[in-house]
Amino acid sequence: MLRQHLHEVSVPTKGRGFYDFTDSVQELVAKSGFKAGLATLHLQHTSASLLIQENADPEVRRDLERFFARLVPDGEPLFRHTSEGDDDMPAHVRTALTCVNLSIPIAQSRLTLGTWQGIYLWEHRLAPHQRRVSVHLIGE
Amino acid sequence: MLRQHLHEVSVPTKGRGFYDFTDSVQELVAKSGFKAGLATLHLQHTSASLLIQENADPEVRRDLERFFARLVPDGEPLFRHTSEGDDDMPAHVRTALTCVNLSIPIAQSRLTLGTWQGIYLWEHRLAPHQRRVSVHLIGE
Amino acid sequence: MLRQHLHEVSVPTKGRGFYDFTDSVQELVAKSGFKAGLATLHLQHTSASLLIQENADPEVRRDLERFFARLVPDGEPLFRHTSEGDDDMPAHVRTALTCVNLSIPIAQSRLTLGTWQGIYLWEHRLAPHQRRVSVHLIGE
């Protein structure tokens, strides 16, 4: 019979960059006992993103960072919401350009991620933050 | 025991801009009686987006609008799909750069949104539209 | 009573471009027998996207391609992850700018897609690939 579980995962960041928390989610899936189901993640913030990306060559993430830093530069003169720092409005735009939700089916008691896929919290602010992700699991 | 509910929410727009409809979704969650669960929203259009963004300073949304208007300008000469107006193809590109689905866990009978998160329909067309969002709730 | 089904859909691509696989997903929904429910799709790759876009004028997809090709050009000198080809890092960035998950409610035994919405796999690599999409259906 189908059941559900709710969790909250906390991801501490040291400022802008990618933080792999795939293992935390896989552990929750393992603990649920679900052989098949669906995992949904929601990031409770508007200046960071949830991103599934390549977990092999770290240069991929550095190139992503370089591209977004050029596309939405800190201190961009177009922006008027500047009271929270040069990196705040760019963080909101980066979040709008990416995602704050992820939905991943579970099969054989694991997330159906591809071989090279990792789940990242992408911190867009320069300062360290404590980020909260709500996790919903449903399955059997 | 897990149950589900299906709804359709209609969001009228007055043209390009952000329309907060968080309360409509929270009301559906309240009516469902679900203490825990999952809410999924799907926008049935390709020239508007669903966006979770800061609901405090309205300047954040104006800056988002300024950024996207510069990134994908109306009347962009690169585009050939121009028969429906200068703002039509930019609207499709904005939609591709953002999202048309949202999935948010429910805890303590409410969406697990962060303190500053609102759910917005982002209308990309200049003319008013009636936008339809299908809402699926599952929980208990 | 709520039940779930898990599937894997394989989408062969002939290189960069849009591949409509809406019918494959609608067929799975029909086979499930679910009148109401939720369909979730997850693409198991980091250099292609899942996109819901207009299925009427094919020029819309060609304009999307033109825009993204200019925004994230192949051979972009900013990138250092270049060992897998000029189109590899741009493919990762395009994927970050779009989505790899889709969640669509089911009503009246069909996906609640809008009249002009199709589900596309957007291949970002130049070479042909075999892409895998995991599909989770829940409903009754």
Side-chain angles (χ1 to χ4, degrees), chain B residues 5-85:
Chain B
H5 294 293
L6 263 175
H7 300 277
E8 196 176 281
V9 171
S10 203
V11 182
T13 78
K14 297 169 185 166
R16 191 169 283 175
F18 291 86
Y19 300 86
D20 188 338
F21 67 108
T22 318
D23 288 351
S24 310
V25 187
Q26 292 282 26
E27 259 171 53
L28 293 177
V29 172
K31 267 205 274 186
S32 73
F34 295 159
K35 286 184 185 157
L38 178 68
T40 302
L41 283 64
H42 172 66
L43 178 64
Q44 301 180 28
H45 307 273
T46 62
S47 54
S49 308
L50 294 184
L51 196 78
I52 293 180
Q53 262 295 339
E54 187 183 301
N55 56 10
D57 182 2
E59 201 68 67
V60 168
R61 269 114 59 203
R62 285 194 285 265
D63 277 348
L64 277 171
E65 186 49 54
R66 282 174 201 119
F67 181 85
F68 276 74
R70 189 179 67 180
L71 184 65
V72 200
D74 289 345
E76 162 65 56
L78 188 70
F79 298 145
R80 301 188 193 165
H81 173 80
T82 53
S83 56
E84 295 174 52

Side-chain angles (χ1 to χ4, degrees), chain B residues 68-106:
Chain B
F68 276 74
R70 189 179 67 180
L71 184 65
V72 200
D74 289 345
E76 162 65 56
L78 188 70
F79 298 145
R80 301 188 193 165
H81 173 80
T82 53
S83 56
E84 295 174 52
D86 269 7
D87 61 319
D88 182 59
M89 195 56 224
H92 290 303
V93 174
R94 284 158 170 249
T95 301
L97 287 168
T98 52
C99 296
V100 294
N101 297 151
L102 296 175
S103 297
I104 309 166
I106 298 162

Side-chain angles (χ1 to χ4, degrees), chain A residues 67-68 71 93-99, chain B residues 46 48-51 67-68 71-72 79 90-100 122 124, chain C residues 51-53 64 67-68 71-72 93-99 122:
Chain A
F67 181 84
F68 276 75
L71 184 65
V93 174
R94 284 158 170 250
T95 301
L97 287 168
T98 52
C99 294
Chain B
T46 62
S49 308
L50 294 184
L51 196 78
F67 181 85
F68 276 74
L71 184 65
V72 200
F79 298 145
H92 290 303
V93 174
R94 284 158 170 249
T95 301
L97 287 168
T98 52
C99 296
V100 294
W122 191 357
H124 300 308
Chain C
L51 196 78
I52 293 180
Q53 262 295 340
L64 276 171
F67 181 85
F68 275 75
L71 184 65
V72 200
V93 174
R94 286 157 169 250
T95 301
L97 287 168
T98 51
C99 296
W122 191 357

Side-chain angles (χ1 to χ4, degrees), chain A residues 28-45:
Chain A
L28 294 176
V29 171
K31 267 205 275 185
S32 73
F34 295 159
K35 284 183 187 160
L38 179 68
T40 303
L41 283 64
H42 171 67
L43 177 63
Q44 300 180 27
H45 307 273

